[in-house]
């Protein structure tokens, strides 16, 4: 492939994820985005509790039952001259670890805010994660067809709470039943809203120029109101600045309604125009630029049983450099072996197609028979490792016990494999034979017991245990570490990957130990 063609493939890719608080409208936006990508003929009703239809991004039965999105799925679609990869993230906080790791595999994020509610708790947490890499953020203020809070106040809240400057790109005219449309500041045009067109791509009526008398004809007294308001808004807000956006310091802000399919194309235009192409990534050796000719990528998620017809595990890999071709040989760096990959999956709008070729920014799915872990790097022979794919310290703990004690080995095997997938974390205390399961959200516990039963044929139950938190412990000084291990052994455990962990019964206990052992690092995250 000619070098220029390869560069063109990289340059046209945009890989992003949506971050939001549950119910802000992520699923609805995903559907409309796919509608624009021509991926769905007609966007179905979200989660279809009423209609029985499901967004194509929802895969697992359990998701359907609960009406929440558990899995991370990947959708690829063309939009204008670009090829967009949208990585779906579970909105439910019980699966936040997967979400966090997915955010390491994107180059930009779309933040969706419910305009009646403003900045909510989960959005704050997700923004913190995007800050680890200064990921550029595009903002969508959703649900303008409802009664919303004052838009200036909403913008101020984003600036104050999330500590990012806002540059309005569109500005709403009216809201709720009186939502008339938006004024596009950069294009100097008003785009009028038509109610009840949510399932189609609208032929929107556009009025050029804020002072155009047609505007007064179209929306009456709202025309003068928006003229007056724009003066105020321009005084109170920032101008869009591409550099500041790319550094994650400023976010372009759009207004609209996902349900009414209004404004979603404005966001997509913004993403295609401004969001970065696949970015360089750090490894333990050096920074890898996407146009490096040799293939490489890292695994950010492993998922089992996405589709009942394929009862295997799929490892999701973000391609960072080079080109993937069907049938190529990849080097699995951690285990030091070459593997033939004949049947990787791509994710064109939710269908699992066979990938012919894939490029930096794309996600491919590798069939995994237990040899792939989260964070693993694959190359074309080189021996480097991508860094920055974190494990997060769990916040909930339970002791897990077998109903049939003879199957202890099988239980341990299942737990270790599930922890390699990131489904749960397992801790084995140094001083006892207990098995402690740690999760970021309570639903993970349930999933683990079900999967132990169906995949490992063991029936396990939980018991309460008084553990408040866990920290991975490190110390370069072996003597100090040994001393610490001796004195604190009843608080120490090994995780699924045999890393030493401090299991704290209370936060007070943790704080005391941190004071007492200042040379020991107590880490909240761990990289594979
Ligand atoms: P998620 O939890 O972030 O994926 O949110 P959903 O997309 O499932 O939306 C949550 C609820 O808000 C659903 O009942 C949607 O129909 C509704 N919703 C989403 N966008 C809009 C909107 O623009 N206007 C109104 N009125 N409702 C919306």
């Amino acid at each position: 492939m000619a070098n220029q063609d390869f560069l063109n493939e990289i340059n046209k890719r945009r890989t992003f994820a949506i971050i939001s608080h549950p119910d802000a409208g992520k699923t609805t936006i995903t559907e409309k985005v796919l509608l624009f990508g021509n991926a769905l003929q007609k966007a179905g009703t979200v989660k279809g509790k009423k209609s029985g239809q499901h967004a194509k991004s929802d895969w697992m039965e359990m998701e359907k039952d609960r009406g929440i999105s558990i899995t991370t799925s990947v959708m690829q679609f063309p939009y204008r001259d670009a090829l967009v990869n949208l990585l779906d993230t579970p909105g439910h906080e019980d699966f936040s670890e997967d979400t966090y790791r997915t955010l390491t595999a994107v180059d930009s994020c779309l933040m969706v805010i419910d305009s009646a509610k403003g900045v909510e708790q989960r959005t704050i947490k997700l923004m913190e994660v995007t800050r680890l890499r200064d990921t550029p953020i595009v903002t969508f203020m959703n649900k303008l067809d409802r009664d919303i809070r004052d838009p200036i106040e909403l913008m101020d809240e984003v600036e104050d709470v999330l500590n990012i400057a806002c540059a309005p790109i569109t500005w709403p005219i009216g809201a709720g039943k009186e939502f008339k449309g938006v004024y596009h500041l950069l294009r100097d045009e008003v785009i009028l809203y038509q109610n009840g067109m949510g399932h189609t791509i609208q032929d929107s009526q556009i009025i050029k120029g804020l002072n155009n008398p047609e505007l007064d004809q179209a929306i009456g007294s709202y025309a003068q109101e928006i003229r007056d308001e724009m003066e105020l808004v321009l005084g109170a807000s920032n101008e869009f600045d591409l550099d500041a956006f790319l550094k994650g310091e400023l976010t372009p802000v759009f207004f609209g309604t996902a349900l009414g399919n209004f404004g979603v194309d404005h966001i997509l235009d913004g993403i295609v125009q401004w969001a970065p192409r696949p970015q360089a990534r750090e490894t333990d050796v050096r920074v890898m630029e996407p146009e490096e000719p040799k293939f490489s990528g890292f695994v950010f998620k492993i998922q089992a049983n996405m589709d009942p017809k394929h009862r295997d595990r799929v490892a999701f890999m973000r391609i960072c450099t080079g080109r993937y071709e069907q049938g190529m040989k990849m080097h699995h760096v951690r285990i030091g072996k070459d593997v033939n990959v004949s049947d990787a999956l791509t994710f064109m709008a939710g269908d699992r197609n066979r990938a012919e070729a894939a490029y930096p920014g794309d996600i491919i799915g590798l069939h995994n028979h237990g040899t792939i872990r989260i964070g693993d790097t694959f190359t074309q022979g080189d021996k480097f490792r991508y860094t920055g794919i974190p494990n997060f310290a769990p916040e909930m703990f339970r002791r897990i016990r077998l109903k049939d004690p003879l199957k202890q080995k099988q239980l341990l095997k299942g737990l270790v494999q599930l922890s390699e997938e990131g489904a749960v974390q397992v801790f084995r205390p140094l001083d006892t034979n207990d098995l402690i399961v740690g999760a970021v959200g309570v639903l993970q516990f349930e999933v683990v017991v079900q999967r132990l039963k169906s995949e490992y044929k063991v029936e396990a139950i939980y018991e309460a245990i008084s553990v408040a938190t866990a920290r991975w412990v490190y110390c370069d000084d072996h003597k100090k570490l040994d001393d610490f291990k001796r004195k604190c052994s009843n608080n120490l455990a090994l995780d699924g990957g045999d890393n030493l962990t401090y299991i704290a019964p209370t936060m007070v206990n943790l704080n005391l130990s941190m004071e007492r052992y200042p040379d020991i690092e107590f880490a909240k995250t761990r990289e594979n």
Side-chain angles (χ1 to χ4, degrees), residues 20-29 46-47 50 91 140 142-146 256-260:
S20 61
H21 194 81
D23 277 344
K26 181 167 64 72
T27 312
T28 313
I29 288 175
V46 185
K47 292 165 195 159
K50 289 165 220 109
F140 186 58
N142 190 25
K143 306 197 183 181
L144 265 286
D145 59 322
R146 289 217 184 134
T257 154
L259 198 62

Side-chain angles (χ1 to χ4, degrees), residues 272-306:
V272 165
Q273 195 181 346
W274 302 320
R277 67 171 203 154
Q279 293 291 285
R281 308 243 147 197
E282 283 187 28
T283 72
D284 57 345
V285 176
R286 63 185 172 90
V287 171
M288 303 296 293
E289 297 291 338
E291 53 264 41
E292 306 225 5
K294 276 164 122 187
F295 169 87
S296 71
F298 66 86
V299 173
F300 62 94
K301 169 157 178 82
I302 292 173
Q303 187 172 294
N305 304 340
M306 281 194 303

Side-chain angles (χ1 to χ4, degrees), residues 394-407:
E395 285 155 21
M396 295 171 203
F397 299 84
R398 289 188 191 166
R399 185 187 290 123
I400 191 162
R401 192 166 66 73
L402 282 169
K403 283 188 181 160
D404 172 2
L406 292 178
K407 290 194 166 171

